[in-house]
Amino acid sequence: MSLWKSLLQTTTLSIQQQRRALLYNGAHGYEEDLVKKKLAQFAGGSINLSKDVNGIGILTLNNPKLMNAFTGTMMLELHERVTELESWKDGRGLIIYGAGNTFCSGSDLNAVKAMAKSQDGMNMCMFMQNTLTRLMRLPLISVALIQGKALGGGAELTTACDFRLMTPGSEIRFVHKHMGLVPGWGGAARLVRIVGSGAALRLLSGAVRVDPERALHLGLSEETLESSDETGALEEARAWLSQYTEGPASVIRAVKKVVTAGRELPLEAALRTEKDVFGTVWGGPANLQAVVRRPKHK
């Protein structure tokens, strides 16, 4: 039993370290301390996190006067909220949405203009890619609730979630081309994996407005909700997510981990990770209770 517990602890630690590994560090020319100091100069808005007893987190982008555009301090706060979520042992799911009936209009242009130097832009790019990759790898089933507009960096943020739900009249639009840019927060790579390379190329090169109907057709959205009201839409999103988060947190989190491994790793590495995750739930409380409760499959 002592050896078994030691194996589980070692496996769990290995999975956590893998999930928190950064894409970029000093070897890539990434200067995290420098970019944090730069971003801290551009204040405004906030990223709020609440957690309920059912293991569902609500992450709110709160800068409605700028359509929830990311200021520098909001980028820093998102990094902090992701770190907090990584340590939330009872978490099952996460809903991300914007205050004031709109999702996110991308980056605050004041910060963009002040960080016009190439190295500043690259550091911000690496900072946000690190953060959104960690967000995507959280052992929580995540949903972007899209009301109003999800533009530019806001559209990229939706792709870091497992699922996307849209309300009537909402839109997703990768407007980077109109800014003389391409996505820099990892949105292009993630979009290709969601809708395929052809559709991604059309959406990016055409800066196409994707309404709920088109999003469903492309597989970019899971469902169009009935309510456009913020409170009503949030309740609908909770109900939708609850289909996939019912049950022991340990099992829901294990499911997310093996799917993440299957998506990101070569087959052999994904299989080994699946084996390791399997070892954390086999013989665990949920497994033993299920065996007692259901001795035979029906």
Side-chain angles (χ1 to χ4, degrees):
M1 182 61 71
S2 177
L3 288 173
W4 181 246
K5 288 182 178 179
S6 177
L7 173 62
L8 291 182
Q9 290 172 352
T10 301
T11 299
T12 302
L13 179 60
S14 174
I15 293 168
Q16 290 173 343
Q17 289 173 338
Q18 180 186 51
R19 191 171 70 243
R20 296 181 185 185
L22 298 179
L23 288 173
Y24 303 106
N25 54 41
H28 303 96
Y30 176 49
E31 302 172 285
E32 184 171 287
D33 290 340
L34 179 61
V35 72
K36 283 183 174 180
K37 288 179 181 178
K38 287 269 188 179
L39 292 174
Q41 298 173 25
F42 306 101
S46 61
I47 304 291
N48 307 122
L49 175 63
S50 63
K51 306 171 192 172
D52 69 23
V53 294
N54 296 318
I56 303 299
I58 306 292
L59 191 73
T60 308
L61 314 179
N62 188 15
N63 191 15
K65 68 178 182 180
L66 295 178
M67 293 175 60
N68 298 321
F70 270 93
T71 63
T73 53
M74 286 173 69
M75 293 182 194
L76 295 174
E77 287 186 20
L78 179 63
H79 174 90
E80 293 170 1
R81 299 293 88 77
V82 169
T83 299
E84 184 178 347
L85 287 166
E86 286 174 334
S87 301
W88 187 25
K89 304 303 182 185
D90 298 322
R92 295 176 174 85
L94 178 69
I95 298 172
I96 301 178
Y97 84 109
N101 279 318
T102 196
F103 188 74
C104 176
S105 60
S107 302
D108 178 7
L109 291 181
N110 291 323
V112 171
K113 290 175 184 176
M115 299 181 71
K117 292 182 180 179
S118 178
Q119 188 57 44
D120 287 339
M122 289 292 287
N123 271 321
M124 181 182 68
C125 167
M126 289 186 279
F127 179 83
M128 288 300 290
Q129 282 196 19
N130 277 346
T131 299
L132 294 184
T133 300
R134 289 169 58 202
L135 172 65
M136 182 176 65
R137 290 174 175 169
L138 287 170
L140 309 172
I141 299 176
S142 58
V143 174
L145 169 56
I146 302 158
Q147 298 173 274
K149 299 180 186 295
L151 307 177
E156 293 193 66
L157 174 59
T158 71
T159 67
C161 295
D162 298 311
F163 302 110
R164 284 146 294 281
L165 301 173
M166 299 181 71
T167 61
S170 62
E171 67 176 83
I172 302 172
R173 192 175 185 188
F174 296 84
V175 296
H176 305 77
K177 184 183 79 167
H178 294 322
M179 300 296 294
L181 295 169
V182 297
W185 296 357
R190 293 188 297 268
L191 183 64
V192 168
R193 285 161 173 76
I194 296 168
V195 302
S197 59
L201 184 58
R202 292 195 297 273
L203 297 185
L204 295 176
S205 63
V208 176
R209 177 183 176 273
V210 183
D211 62 18
E213 182 179 0
R214 185 163 190 172
L216 284 171
H217 175 73
L218 290 170
L220 186 56
S221 171
E222 310 305 316
E223 189 173 310
T224 303
L225 304 180
E226 294 183 2
S227 180
S228 295
D229 171 73
E230 183 173 310
T231 302
L234 189 55
E235 286 306 309
E236 282 191 66
R238 282 179 183 270
W240 187 91
L241 182 57
S242 69
Q243 303 173 83
Y244 307 104
T245 57
E246 290 179 354
S250 60
V251 177
I252 303 303
R253 293 164 68 87
V255 169
K256 174 63 185 291
K257 290 171 187 176
V258 297
V259 170
T260 297
R263 178 185 63 219
E264 297 189 10
L265 300 176
L267 179 58
E268 290 186 2
L271 290 171
R272 285 192 292 268
T273 300
E274 186 171 319
K275 177 263 298 178
D276 291 342
V277 174
F278 178 81
T280 68
V281 291
W282 177 265
N287 176 227
L288 295 177
Q289 289 171 16
V291 170
V292 171
R293 193 169 57 245
R294 297 173 181 173
K296 293 182 179 179
H297 295 290
K298 296 181 180 179

